[in-house]
Amino acid sequence: MQRFASASRVFTLARRSYATPPSPSALVLIEHKDDKIVPASLNAITAARKLGGTVTGLVVGEEASTKAVVEGAQKLGLDALLHRTSPALAHALAEPLAPVLAALVKSGNYTHLAAAHSAQGKNIFPRVAGILGVQQISDVMAIESPDTFVRPIYAGNAIATVKSSDSIKIFTVRSASWDAAVSGEEQAAWVSEELTKSERPDLGSAQAVVSGGRGVKSKESFDSIIFPLADALGAAVGASRAAVDSGYADNSQQVGQTGKVVAPSLYVAVGISGALQHLAGMKDSKTIVAINKDPDAPIFQVADHGLVADLFEAVPELTKKVEEAKK
Amino acid sequence: MRASPPTWIKLLVPIKRTVDYSVKVRVGPKGVETAGVKHSLNPFCEIGELACEGSIGRGEEASSAAIGRTSSGATKAAVHPVEEAVRLREKLKERIESITVVTIGPPKAADVLRTALAMGADAAIHVEVKDGQDVQPLGVAQALKAIVEQEKPDLIILGKQAIDDDSSQVGGMLAGLLDWPQANFASKLEVEGDKIKVAREIDGGLETLMMALPAVVTTDLRLNEPRYASLPNIMKAKKKPLKKMKAEDLKVDLTPRLETLKVEAPPARQGGAKVSDQAIAKGFKTKYPTVRK
């Protein structure tokens, strides 16, 4: 117990204890794959910084696979970095990881626990929330205050602002709504690596995305039409659910309510009609280009530039023109 | 949990009644308008038998008319988890002891239970709440935990997310509360002895897990194609047991922890002009120099 020297001091302390909630102290789970930080985690760090308090990073996994990740995370300017290794934490399974997270949050007196709204975040965090008895907040697009969050509902057709009454706030972050936290040094290293390997960029964080739909008709034409345009633009390749279900593209390429949510500078929708569930995954893109032979396709209602044409003619031609424009 | 490995498996399939996936929702002064709007079983729910996610994407390209108005197209009654439970019985026969579906929702949510019963579930439990009461994932998970303690299932199959609140939390929360293993976003489920083998969709592709029962599985869209309930089965479903309960019976507190301050329509996007491909190529060159290598 404290004793107070004067009445004014009592007043000050009392006012502070009422008016100022404990300063936010956020723990961010840094997801990694193939010895690299998953870009979506960098967006989660940006979101955690918005809370205005300290941000602590957490890297978990096997000893060998986390070394490079820890080195990368050290360059992010975090207030602290926790690192826990164990063979049991190798594949980021929710069962061993969730109790570790719950215990860390409690013992470290963290007010917030954040991660990307990725398959991993969506798998692990509800389990942590269950253990702690906390109502999680999923897919956060904006933070208004340490207890007030903005998130999409009904496939992004409504935006809800919610206020949490839990003492610990557990939330996952919509990558497309936040910039990535990167140090200049790391960004440079990252880009050169991508370039030398000439890999296609990651769908979730790409500057440009070219997506194909049912209109592409076959896996062969998907490979021969969508991929060259994506390569010409340095874009990631996405797909509609119809394209995935028909086997034209891989599950992990699906853009939409039940797939990935992307917000690149440029989104090119090829042979995609634009159903609600697809729009949910791409309508925050800065510029949307649609190529479809059906002039009434709903995609044209959101497209900044629409081309009514047969994609089998228009896309190769466009690819050629983009290649020429680059020269 | 049973002391010895189960020779039969009792299935529990939580399902949810949501606004139909094909409906373009409208945001009114008090949030999303749900009165008088077509509702159905959450699509992800049909997959598991009643879990909820299958029909969501089905309309993605097929229903080009879905934008801007309510589609009048027939919707399957929400059902991937339900479908999966029924398929397990078809495959494993008598090893499936029973399939019980459960929902937590207003009186009208009984409709989705009947749909699930018509698809092949044996019994239903309806935890009734008042119309318009906001029950959040933590409350649902706690109520389900209480039901699990009564019903003692070996396997719980539910949808990966509800298409209204898009939280994607209940399965994981329930697994955490029960301390059972979990497999979220399952695209393949096989029973091998007293274990289950689950392929789950992750960001880079698929991963396969083997886990002991009892366990919690959430279904992804690609787990199965939900069936339609036939008329004879719909008639039979009316005779199957449907137990009504209240949250108080389960001794759970459904008070929301998240207060919704406001719900707004997202910023509207204007369609641009339909242009020639030359203009697009020119636009790339001038407007998006950064996207080019």
Side-chain angles (χ1 to χ4, degrees):
Chain A
M1 295 300 280
Q2 270 184 292
R3 275 184 294 157
F4 303 109
S6 69
S8 70
R9 186 169 156 80
V10 172
F11 174 72
T12 313
L13 284 174
R15 191 188 56 188
R16 286 190 60 179
S17 69
Y18 278 101
T20 326
S23 172
S25 168
L27 183 66
V28 181
L29 176 65
I30 298 177
E31 189 180 330
H32 55 90
K33 195 166 198 181
D34 301 333
D35 298 347
K36 277 190 217 157
I37 297 173
V38 170
S41 291
L42 303 172
N43 307 99
I45 290 170
T46 305
R49 283 188 178 139
K50 182 81 197 302
L51 296 164
T54 58
V55 178
T56 302
L58 171 64
V59 177
V60 292
E62 276 177 304
E63 180 79 43
S65 64
T66 55
K67 196 166 168 282
V69 177
V70 169
E71 282 167 13
Q74 279 168 341
K75 296 177 193 155
L76 295 173
L78 294 160
D79 297 292
L81 184 64
L82 304 180
H83 178 206
R84 178 170 293 198
T85 58
S86 158
L89 300 173
H91 299 290
L93 292 177
E95 291 81 357
L97 193 44
V100 170
L101 279 170
L104 272 176
V105 168
K106 273 191 181 163
S107 64
N109 289 320
Y110 293 102
T111 57
H112 293 76
L113 177 64
H117 192 66
S118 59
Q120 191 184 106
K122 284 190 273 188
N123 188 42
I124 294 167
F125 268 36
R127 193 173 178 102
V128 180
I131 292 170
L132 293 173
V134 167
Q135 176 54 58
Q136 180 187 329
I137 306 132
S138 290
D139 214 11
V140 168
M141 301 169 74
I143 294 174
E144 294 196 344
S145 75
D147 62 2
T148 308
F149 302 83
V150 178
R151 62 178 303 267
I153 53 176
Y154 290 89
N157 288 298
I159 308 296
T161 303
V162 295
K163 184 173 177 172
S164 170
S165 58
D166 285 315
S167 58
I168 299 168
K169 279 81 172 168
I170 296 181
F171 63 99
T172 55
V173 173
R174 167 170 284 219
S175 314
S177 302
W178 301 86
D179 292 330
V182 266
S183 66
E185 183 193 357
E186 193 192 22
Q187 193 172 24
W190 193 301
V191 170
S192 68
E193 202 173 341
E194 291 276 344
L195 286 176
T196 49
K197 285 188 184 170
S198 78
E199 286 171 349
R200 270 188 203 95
D202 172 65
L203 182 56
S205 56
Q207 277 291 303
V209 174
V210 177
S211 276
R214 178 173 287 160
V216 180
K217 292 209 169 75
S218 70
K219 175 152 177 47
E220 291 67 39
S221 48
F222 199 96
D223 292 349
S224 65
I225 290 187
I226 303 298
F227 282 81
L229 178 59
D231 289 341
L233 291 167
V237 174
S240 71
R241 182 175 178 218
V244 172
D245 283 356
S246 310
Y248 307 165
D250 186 70
N251 293 350
S252 59
Q253 291 176 294
Q254 187 182 324
V255 172
Q257 185 182 19
T258 61
K260 288 219 170 55
V261 175
V262 300
S265 299
L266 173 67
Y267 187 91
V268 185
V270 179
I272 293 176
S273 68
L276 289 174
Q277 292 78 14
H278 186 76
L279 299 184
M282 45 64 81
K283 68 184 162 59
D284 293 330
S285 304
K286 291 198 179 60
T287 300
I288 297 172
V289 173
I291 301 172
N292 204 306
K293 67 179 174 192
D294 173 11
D296 299 323
I299 191 79
F300 288 124
Q301 294 172 21
V302 301
D304 300 286
H305 307 287
L307 175 64
V308 182
D310 183 350
L311 68 93
F312 294 97
E313 288 166 18
V315 177
E317 198 182 332
L318 176 61
T319 306
K320 215 167 87 194
K321 291 210 161 76
V322 173
E323 291 286 1
E324 281 165 11
K326 279 158 71 176
K327 283 173 193 158
Chain B
M1 200 195 297
R2 297 174 189 194
S4 56
T7 44
W8 333 266
I9 299 170
K10 268 182 94 167
L11 292 174
L12 185 72
V13 184
I15 60 175
K16 183 176 187 181
R17 176 178 181 264
T18 62
V19 168
D20 189 86
Y21 77 93
S22 62
V23 171
K24 166 86 175 167
V25 298
R26 280 175 214 289
V27 180
K30 287 183 179 169
V32 172
E33 287 174 0
T34 54
V37 173
K38 183 182 176 190
H39 280 64
S40 58
L41 187 52
N42 179 27
F44 288 88
C45 289
E46 298 187 31
I47 292 189
E49 154 104 55
L50 290 188
C52 308
E53 175 173 91
S55 49
I56 283 194
R58 180 160 310 126
E60 235 171 59
E61 309 226 322
S63 63
S64 62
I67 291 197
R69 65 191 167 87
T70 301
S71 157
S72 58
T75 315
K76 286 190 192 176
V79 277
H80 293 237
V82 182
E83 175 65 30
E84 193 62 21
V86 174
R87 284 188 190 201
L88 280 178
R89 164 174 282 157
E90 286 166 356
K91 208 165 12 170
L92 301 172
K93 306 279 190 286
E94 66 281 0
R95 269 205 73 191
I96 300 299
E97 185 180 326
S98 64
I99 300 172
T100 304
V101 292
V102 52
T103 197
I104 296 157
K108 277 187 178 165
D111 297 353
V112 299
L113 291 174
R114 290 288 173 204
T115 305
L117 291 170
M119 286 178 72
D122 305 311
I125 300 171
H126 185 183
V127 181
E128 222 175 75
V129 300
K130 284 196 289 286
D131 259 325
Q133 183 178 341
D134 181 21
V135 186
Q136 294 174 348
L138 184 67
V140 173
Q142 286 169 337
L144 289 175
K145 181 182 184 234
I147 289 171
V148 167
E149 279 157 6
Q150 287 180 7
E151 298 291 319
K152 309 225 181 311
D154 303 291
L155 181 59
I156 303 170
I157 307 178
L158 57 174
K160 74 164 180 178
Q161 88 193 45
I163 60 166
D164 48 6
D165 71 6
D166 281 335
S167 286
S168 194
Q169 296 174 2
V170 173
M173 281 180 171
L174 179 60
L177 287 169
L178 293 166
D179 198 20
W180 288 8
Q182 66 183 62
N184 284 338
F185 325 133
S187 62
K188 199 170 179 195
L189 170 62
E190 285 167 18
V191 177
E192 295 191 357
D194 57 350
K195 294 201 163 148
I196 53 169
K197 190 161 124 188
V198 183
R200 55 182 296 262
E201 297 201 3
I202 57 174
D203 285 337
L206 287 176
E207 76 176 10
T208 303
L209 304 176
M210 195 77 164
M211 57 185 108
L213 295 175
V216 177
V217 173
T218 75
T219 60
D220 213 316
L221 288 169
R222 277 165 280 272
L223 185 61
N224 59 45
E225 274 287 315
R227 69 194 65 197
Y228 287 98
S230 66
L231 188 58
N233 286 341
I234 292 170
M235 300 310 288
K236 275 187 220 156
K238 291 185 176 168
K239 294 187 183 136
K240 290 181 179 175
L242 195 159
K243 186 159 74 175
K244 299 239 181 213
M245 309 179 87
K246 298 260 182 241
E248 300 85 76
D249 303 333
L250 297 168
K251 300 190 177 64
V252 290
D253 178 12
L254 298 180
T255 312
R257 303 284 186 88
L258 294 180
E259 179 194 356
T260 302
L261 302 179
K262 62 181 174 190
V263 176
E264 296 167 305
R269 222 185 149 108
Q270 288 295 317
K274 290 168 191 162
V275 294
S276 68
D277 55 349
Q278 288 88 345
I280 296 177
K282 198 173 160 210
F284 286 156
K285 195 176 176 185
T286 51
K287 278 177 81 179
Y288 310 106
T290 54
V291 304
R292 298 188 291 118
K293 278 196 183 168

